[in-house]
């Protein structure tokens, strides 16, 4: 009788999409499916036995993973998140230090272009700052980076931080430090902005302090 009977699920597809496949190690198409276990006779389902947990199947390797695998961003999405983070950090530090110094403006624009916005020049960066600072408002206030930029820092950096290794998070902070140091020493508001970046990236305060001092020494 062995081999005549068996229990296997029957799957139905709910959603198709793209995800980062843990098995393939890259972006792939997936099927999100739900299923029910069936008692089978000679491979033919004859009696339903109950539901099984939903899962995600890669259409390339056919591996089956928990639906939590969809929480990992695709490589394309992660690249976009990192690009937006570099852009926002550059704006935040330029806002904190002010736009009067040419060296700071050039450093911020260089960081924005490095992030992938090759056609973004000084005029576009200054226009973005004006838009994020509010209707005629200050770019920086007594409590840190002003309104729109503060919201952007949290919205852009915090979701990214859980997917970046510590080295990657530190690099983002150092990018901001380089902009702050382009026209001289850190201003108090620039230190506050960098501290806010560190908090959003879940970097310990002691690490932030050590990185800022290291950046200062390297800039001399």
């Amino acid at each position: 009788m062995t081999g005549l009977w068996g229990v296997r699920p029957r799957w139905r597809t709910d959603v198709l999409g793209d995800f980062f496949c843990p098995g393939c190690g890259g972006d792939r198409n997936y099927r999100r499916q739900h299923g029910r276990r069936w008692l089978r006779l000679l491979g033919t389902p004859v009696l339903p036995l109950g539901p099984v947990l939903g899962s995600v199947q890669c259409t390339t390797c056919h591996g089956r993973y928990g639906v939590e695998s969809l929480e990992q961003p695709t490589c394309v999405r992660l690249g976009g998140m990192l690009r937006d983070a570099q852009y926002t950090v550059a704006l935040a530090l330029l806002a904190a230090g002010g736009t009067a110094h040419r060296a700071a403006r050039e450093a911020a624009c260089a960081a924005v272009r490095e992030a992938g916005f090759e056609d973004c020049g000084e005029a576009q960066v200054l226009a973005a700052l004006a838009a994020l600072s509010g209707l005629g408002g200050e770019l920086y206030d007594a409590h840190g980076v002003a309104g729109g930029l503060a919201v952007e820092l949290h919205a852009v950096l915090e979701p990214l931080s859980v997917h970046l290794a510590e080295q990657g998070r530190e690099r983002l902070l150092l990018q901001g430090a380089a902009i702050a140091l382009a026209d001289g020493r850190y201003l108090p508001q620039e230190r506050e902005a960098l501290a806010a970046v560190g908090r959003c990236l879940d970097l310990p305060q002691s690490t932030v302090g050590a990185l800022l001092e290291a950046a200062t020494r390297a800039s001399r």
Side-chain angles (χ1 to χ4, degrees):
M1 297 293 292
T2 301
L4 295 179
W5 297 92
V7 176
R8 293 206 314 272
R10 172 187 280 182
W11 298 99
R12 295 184 182 276
T13 298
D14 300 316
V15 179
L16 299 173
D18 301 323
F19 82 136
F20 181 85
C21 175
C24 296
D27 294 350
R28 298 291 186 270
N29 296 322
Y30 73 82
R31 305 183 188 94
R32 182 170 177 172
Q33 299 178 312
H34 71 277
R36 178 175 293 275
R37 292 181 298 118
W38 283 77
L39 179 67
R40 296 171 181 261
L41 173 62
L42 297 177
T44 302
V46 294
L47 181 67
L49 298 178
V52 294
L53 291 175
S55 67
V56 174
Q57 185 183 43
C58 174
T59 61
T60 300
C61 70
H62 303 292
R64 195 170 290 279
Y65 310 98
V67 294
E68 65 275 5
S69 64
L70 298 181
E71 297 174 7
Q72 172 70 27
T74 63
C75 295
V76 171
R77 173 59 180 149
L78 189 60
M81 292 170 70
L82 184 57
R83 182 189 63 180
D84 291 345
Q86 290 178 269
Y87 178 79
T88 305
V89 168
L91 289 185
L93 267 297
L94 186 58
T99 59
H101 294 280
R102 179 178 180 181
R105 297 196 307 269
E106 289 179 346
C109 290
V112 167
R113 288 193 294 270
E114 181 188 339
F117 298 92
E118 292 89 353
D119 298 328
C120 190
E122 184 175 303
Q124 290 89 341
V125 168
L126 295 179
L129 275 179
L132 288 171
S133 65
L135 298 176
E138 294 295 327
L139 294 177
Y140 177 85
D141 61 26
H143 303 289
V145 177
L149 279 169
V151 172
E152 284 294 302
L153 280 177
H154 287 280
V156 172
L157 298 185
E158 288 179 355
L160 174 65
S161 66
V162 298
H163 301 295
L164 280 185
E166 184 172 351
Q167 184 178 6
R169 289 178 281 138
E170 290 177 355
R171 186 178 184 278
L172 278 173
L173 182 74
L174 289 171
Q175 172 196 302
I179 296 170
L181 291 168
D183 54 4
R185 295 183 298 175
Y186 299 116
L187 297 174
Q189 56 266 36
E190 289 172 332
R191 283 190 176 274
E192 178 57 36
L194 289 164
V197 170
R199 288 192 296 271
C200 290
L201 291 172
D202 197 26
L203 290 171
Q205 185 176 351
S206 59
T207 299
V208 171
L211 289 170
L212 297 190
E213 292 311 309
T216 299
R217 291 193 298 271
S219 69
R220 289 172 182 167

